[in-house]
């Protein structure tokens, strides 16, 4: 019994009052949620029907495989239960198990407490059984088998015992240590996340106020020298007395913001390129709203990269520029290079660099699992009503490609442990996502991902059929071996269809860390091979590994046949004066 005059009683009363207020806020936030298509929440009924039909067909044609998996499951379950019972009866601690490589089960209680050990063993056994049954369903086409395995894994990850308070020893220990304060703090974090997004719950991965864009991150000096409704063009201040004659234009993805390439001075690719002696320009895309509903991929070409390239050439008084494209920005660069060739202006691009760029979408990797008819129908319905695809939906999709790390682990830390989100520049950038224009979102997913029109030479922009084989410029391709968004083998296959001098590099790590891999640190190495990757796996088997960042090799490639003989350029010119300091104002507009 708690003494009503004790400090603990005061804390309890205060927490009960907080819980009451938080509950009211939670109900208000739930009532204020926007409605969206149910198709965006899960695969449609046809997917489940196909999976169920394939499962029963498998049972009929090869019952031994299913029965063997089920018998193995129940046999091991009985064995686990028997061992735990014997240990409890003997009053002895559970026998030690092999050290777990799964970081979810690092707490000693998972091995020392019979209750938790039994839960862990059954969860891992169930996971293994589900994986065994779903991975080789021969009565489904290969793409459908991949989808069944992917969504089965999503369900398995969702039901991990660490995701529930009663079966998470870390969360229970913290609640006891803090007299329940961690649970109150966790509820407060949950309600705050619910209030910050009307479309649904999205856990805050990083402290949104830890770094200010333009003050703490994205601080490379420069100015906006041109803008239209689609983008701002930033020119960066030179840091060398002499520069290369050819300017360098970077077009980042518009699914996220450009400053991933300029987080901090020590890992800024933009600063690195400037320090190498390049006149660097970057496209900072607008964060669209409903007024951009009419914008498609052709708009990003006509009012985007084509205009940016012409402005760069105009400002630097050059006839050609080196151009870099990252992710979907690279897809746009490939389309631009092919389009310029079709209209007789291919000389505007001197050399082209592609970072993690998809141009052949036949094997899109795990992202392709979301591109089934139900999800696409949901996206069409959503953009028809709103005029754009809100950043929440794309951000959530990418998060579920790594659900353990980007969904469940942060949710456990925030909602059950009551921890405040960390100050982490990369995760803050990841949360600073953007919307997509309605027409563009549907075109991109349907025409490129589903129909694979670009690889087939059937994708049409501004009256021209875009063919990868039209590209006859020197290209430098950088992909990453652990990329969940742009599988390296697919990126290589697509860009191997070009006709110019080609250099292919495969970096260690993933979609972001493999690219933002500073030369000063050499954290991740890379593979290189002078042969084109007609067979990507064979290319890798015969490639040479170098334990250093690919930035070094790329810098030498860019500088080939050039010398730093041009006096450092001023920002802008008379026709394109400085508008505002970098990083500009477009990048500051938040997603909706």
């Amino acid at each position: 019994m708690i003494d009503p005059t004790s400090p603990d009683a005061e804390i309890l009363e205060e927490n009960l009052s907080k819980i009451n207020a938080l509950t009211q806020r939670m109900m208000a936030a739930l009532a204020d949620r926007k409605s969206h298509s149910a198709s965006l929440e899960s695969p449609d009924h046809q997917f489940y029907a196909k999976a169920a039909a394939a499962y029963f067909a498998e049972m009929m044609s090869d019952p031994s495989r299913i029965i063997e998996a089920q018998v193995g499951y129940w046999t091991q379950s009985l064995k686990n239960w028997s061992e735990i019972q014997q240990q409890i009866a003997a009053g002895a601690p559970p026998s030690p198990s092999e050290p777990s490589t799964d970081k979810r089960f690092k707490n000693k209680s998972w091995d020392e407490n019979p209750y938790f050990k039994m839960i862990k063993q059954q969860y891992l056994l169930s996971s293994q059984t589900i994986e065994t049954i779903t991975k080789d369903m021969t009565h489904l086409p290969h793409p459908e088998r991949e989808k069944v395995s992917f969504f089965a894994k999503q369900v398995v990850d969702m039901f991990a015992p660490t995701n529930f308070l009663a079966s998470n020893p870390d969360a229970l220990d913290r609640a006891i240590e803090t007299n329940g304060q961690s649970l109150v703090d966790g509820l407060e974090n949950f309600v705050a996340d619910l209030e910050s997004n009307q479309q649904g719950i999205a856990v805050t991965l990083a402290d949104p106020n830890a770094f200010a864009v333009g003050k703490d991150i994205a601080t490379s000096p420069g100015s906006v020298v041109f803008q239209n409704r689609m983008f701002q063009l930033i020119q960066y201040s030179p840091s060398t007395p002499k520069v290369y004659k050819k300017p360098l234009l970077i077009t980042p993805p518009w699914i996220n913001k450009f400053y991933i390439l300029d987080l901090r001075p020590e890992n800024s690719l933009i600063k690195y390129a400037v320090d190498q002696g390049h006149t660097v320009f970057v496209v900072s895309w607008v964060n669209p709203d409903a007024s951009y509903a009419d914008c498609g991929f052709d708009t990003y070409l006509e009012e985007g990269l084509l205009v940016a390239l012409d402005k760069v050439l105009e400002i630097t008084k050059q006839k050609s520029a080196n151009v870099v494209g990252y992710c979907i920005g690279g897809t746009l660069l490939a389309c631009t290079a092919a389009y310029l060739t079709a209209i007789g202006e291919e000389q505007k691009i001197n050399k082209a660099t592609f970072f993690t760029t998809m141009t052949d979408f036949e094997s899109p990797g795990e992202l392709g699992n979301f591109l089934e008819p139900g999800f696409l129908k949901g996206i069409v319905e959503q953009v028809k009503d709103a005029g754009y695809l809100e950043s929440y939906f794309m951000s959530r999709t990418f998060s579920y490609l790594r659900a353990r790390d980007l969904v469940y682990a942060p949710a456990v830390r925030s909602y059950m442990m009551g921890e405040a989100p960390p100050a982490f520049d990369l995760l803050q950038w990841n949360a600073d996502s953007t919307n997509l224009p309605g027409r563009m979102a549907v075109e991109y997913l349907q025409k490129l991902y589903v129909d694979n029109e670009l690889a087939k030479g059937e994708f049409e922009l501004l009256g021209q059929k875009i063919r990868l084989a039209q590209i006859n410029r020197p290209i430098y391709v950088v992909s990453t071996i652990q990329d969940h968004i742009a599988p390296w083998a697919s990126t290589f296959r697509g860009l191997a269809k070009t006709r110019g001098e080609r250099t292919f590099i495969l970096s260690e790590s993933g979609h972001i860390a493999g690219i933002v891999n500073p030369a000063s640190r050499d954290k991740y190495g890379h593979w290189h091979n002078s042969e084109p990757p007609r067979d990507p796996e064979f290319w890798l088997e015969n490639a040479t590994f170098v334990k250093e960042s690919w930035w070094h090799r790329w810098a030498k490639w860019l500088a080939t046949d050039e010398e730093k003989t041009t006096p450092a350029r001023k920002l802008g010119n008379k026709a394109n004066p400085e508008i505002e300091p970098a990083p500009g104002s477009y990048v500051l507009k938040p997603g909706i």
Side-chain angles (χ1 to χ4, degrees):
M1 188 77 176
I2 298 177
D3 183 348
T5 62
S6 68
D8 287 344
E10 292 180 8
I11 293 173
L12 177 61
E13 184 177 351
E14 182 181 341
N15 282 340
L16 289 173
S17 177
K18 276 187 180 179
I19 290 173
N20 183 53
L22 288 169
T23 302
Q24 292 179 14
R25 283 172 54 192
M26 180 174 67
M27 299 307 295
L30 289 171
D32 197 37
R33 289 180 67 177
K34 292 181 181 178
S35 62
H36 57 256
S37 173
S39 300
L40 289 169
E41 295 299 328
S42 66
D44 66 7
H45 67 280
Q46 293 181 357
F47 172 81
Y48 294 110
K50 287 180 183 178
Y55 178 79
F56 286 113
E58 198 83 16
M59 287 186 64
M60 298 297 292
S61 64
D62 187 12
S64 61
R65 191 173 75 86
I66 304 294
I67 293 172
E68 181 182 354
Q70 292 181 342
V71 169
Y73 172 81
W74 289 113
T75 300
Q76 187 60 46
S77 294
L78 289 172
K79 182 180 177 181
N80 291 343
W81 178 248
S82 176
E83 288 180 355
I84 293 295
Q85 289 277 56
Q86 291 173 11
Q87 290 159 3
I88 293 175
S95 55
S97 55
E98 294 183 7
S100 176
T101 58
D102 191 330
K103 58 187 178 183
R104 294 175 297 179
F105 301 110
K106 291 297 183 183
N107 191 298
K108 292 181 180 180
S109 294
W110 290 114
D111 289 320
E112 297 176 357
N113 184 300
Y115 167 74
F116 288 117
K117 183 170 184 178
M118 184 65 184
I119 290 174
K120 182 188 81 168
Q121 288 178 329
Q122 287 304 111
Y123 170 72
L124 294 177
L125 176 61
S126 300
S127 302
Q128 183 181 15
T129 304
I130 292 171
E131 180 183 356
T132 299
I133 291 175
T134 57
K135 73 176 181 179
D136 292 319
M137 299 180 75
T138 56
H139 286 77
L140 281 176
H142 180 69
E144 298 297 326
R145 287 204 303 271
E146 287 190 341
K147 289 179 182 179
V148 169
S149 294
F150 176 80
F151 286 111
K153 185 177 183 299
Q154 294 292 320
V155 172
V156 166
D157 285 344
M158 180 175 66
F159 283 103
T162 47
N163 296 341
F164 302 91
L165 178 62
S167 53
N168 186 323
D170 289 305
L172 291 172
D173 289 346
R174 178 66 64 84
I176 294 171
E177 291 169 2
T178 63
N179 291 320
Q181 184 63 47
S182 61
L183 300 180
V184 177
D185 294 341
L187 178 60
E188 190 160 12
N189 291 341
F190 175 78
V191 172
D193 285 344
L194 201 59
E195 290 173 333
S196 67
N197 198 315
Q198 291 183 309
Q199 288 292 357
I201 186 68
V203 62
T204 299
L205 298 177
D207 181 354
N209 301 313
F211 305 100
V213 177
K215 294 181 180 179
D216 305 304
I217 49 181
T219 59
S220 290
S223 292
V224 174
V225 294
F226 173 81
Q227 67 182 38
N228 62 14
R229 70 166 182 153
M230 296 303 296
F231 71 96
Q232 287 187 317
L233 181 65
I234 302 171
Q235 181 182 356
Y236 286 90
S237 302
S239 62
T240 56
K242 300 283 187 179
V243 297
Y244 293 109
K245 185 180 294 185
K246 302 291 184 187
L248 179 66
L249 170 62
I250 301 175
T251 175
W254 53 90
I255 293 174
N256 288 100
K257 295 181 179 178
F258 82 89
Y259 65 87
I260 185 59
L261 300 176
D262 191 32
L263 280 178
R264 298 190 185 188
E266 58 267 26
N267 64 4
S268 170
L269 181 66
I270 290 171
K271 182 180 185 301
Y272 176 78
V274 169
D275 290 344
Q276 296 297 305
H278 296 283
T279 304
V280 177
F281 294 81
V282 171
V283 172
S284 175
W285 297 105
V286 72
N287 194 356
D289 53 28
S291 66
Y292 288 80
D294 66 316
C295 293
F297 214 86
D298 54 353
T299 316
Y300 280 86
L301 175 63
E302 184 176 25
E303 299 181 40
L305 189 49
L306 288 178
V307 175
L309 181 56
D310 284 342
K311 289 297 176 182
V312 167
L313 299 182
E314 179 185 335
I315 291 170
T316 59
K317 299 178 181 179
Q318 292 297 304
K319 294 182 179 179
S320 65
N322 297 320
V323 188
V324 177
Y326 190 177
C327 191
I328 190 175
T331 307
L332 179 63
L333 172 56
C335 292
T336 302
Y339 175 79
L340 289 174
T341 301
I343 64 172
E345 296 182 7
E346 65 175 349
Q347 77 284 350
K348 287 184 177 181
I349 295 178
N350 181 51
K351 296 178 180 179
T353 300
F354 298 91
F355 297 159
T356 62
T357 295
M358 293 286 286
T359 54
D360 185 337
F361 297 80
E362 183 178 356
S363 300
E366 291 185 345
L367 192 59
N369 293 310
F370 291 99
L371 300 174
E372 52 88 38
F375 281 122
L376 290 175
K377 178 184 176 183
I379 289 172
V380 170
E381 291 173 351
Q382 187 68 23
V383 301
K384 182 180 179 181
D385 293 336
Y388 61 96
L389 186 64
E390 292 187 33
S391 59
Y392 167 79
F393 296 107
M394 290 301 294
S395 179
R396 183 181 66 171
T397 298
F398 289 131
S399 292
Y400 274 96
L401 296 180
R402 295 175 52 205
R404 283 191 194 179
D405 297 327
L406 296 179
V407 178
Y408 301 119
V412 167
R413 289 194 296 268
S414 182
Y415 305 151
M416 285 199 279
M417 307 289 284
E419 296 178 5
F424 191 176
D425 54 0
L426 180 60
L427 288 180
Q428 184 172 327
W429 165 84
N430 185 69
D432 189 13
S433 51
T434 56
N435 308 318
L436 297 179
R439 182 163 71 89
M440 176 267 145
V442 174
E443 285 177 348
Y444 181 55
L445 296 175
Q446 184 65 55
K447 292 186 177 182
L448 296 187
Y449 267 95
V450 176
D451 298 335
N452 202 17
E453 288 187 4
L454 180 56
K456 296 175 182 177
E458 299 172 356
F459 192 45
E460 186 171 321
L461 292 173
L462 307 182
Q464 298 290 335
K465 285 288 182 67
I466 304 299
R467 297 179 175 87
L468 296 172
Q470 291 173 305
I471 302 172
N472 193 21
R473 313 305 292 169
I475 69 168
Y476 198 95
V477 180
V478 184
S479 296
T480 60
I481 198 164
Q482 296 175 357
D483 201 325
H484 294 275
I485 297 170
W488 73 270
S490 294
T491 64
F492 275 23
R493 285 192 189 95
L495 290 166
K497 297 174 182 177
T498 62
R499 293 184 294 120
E501 171 196 327
R502 295 165 292 181
T503 302
F504 289 84
I505 298 294
L506 182 61
S507 175
E508 289 184 303
S509 197
H511 193 76
I512 302 300
I515 298 301
V516 184
N517 181 22
S520 60
R521 296 181 186 173
D522 289 330
K523 184 176 181 179
Y524 300 113
H526 67 274
W527 291 265
H528 67 94
N529 186 339
S530 59
E531 292 296 317
R534 297 181 183 90
D535 181 334
E537 297 296 340
F538 182 79
W539 180 95
L540 180 57
E541 290 173 8
N542 293 276
T544 301
F545 179 76
V546 180
K547 186 56 182 175
E548 68 175 21
S549 169
W550 58 267
W551 288 20
H552 302 282
R553 190 179 296 273
W554 178 62
K556 293 177 182 176
W557 177 82
L558 273 181
T560 304
D561 301 326
E562 278 208 72
E563 293 182 1
K564 285 185 278 189
T565 58
T566 302
R569 296 180 171 103
K570 295 180 180 180
L571 302 186
N573 62 9
K574 188 175 181 179
N576 301 280
E578 298 178 57
I579 298 173
E580 61 185 1
S585 53
Y586 282 19
V587 74
L588 301 178
K589 183 180 179 182
I592 298 173

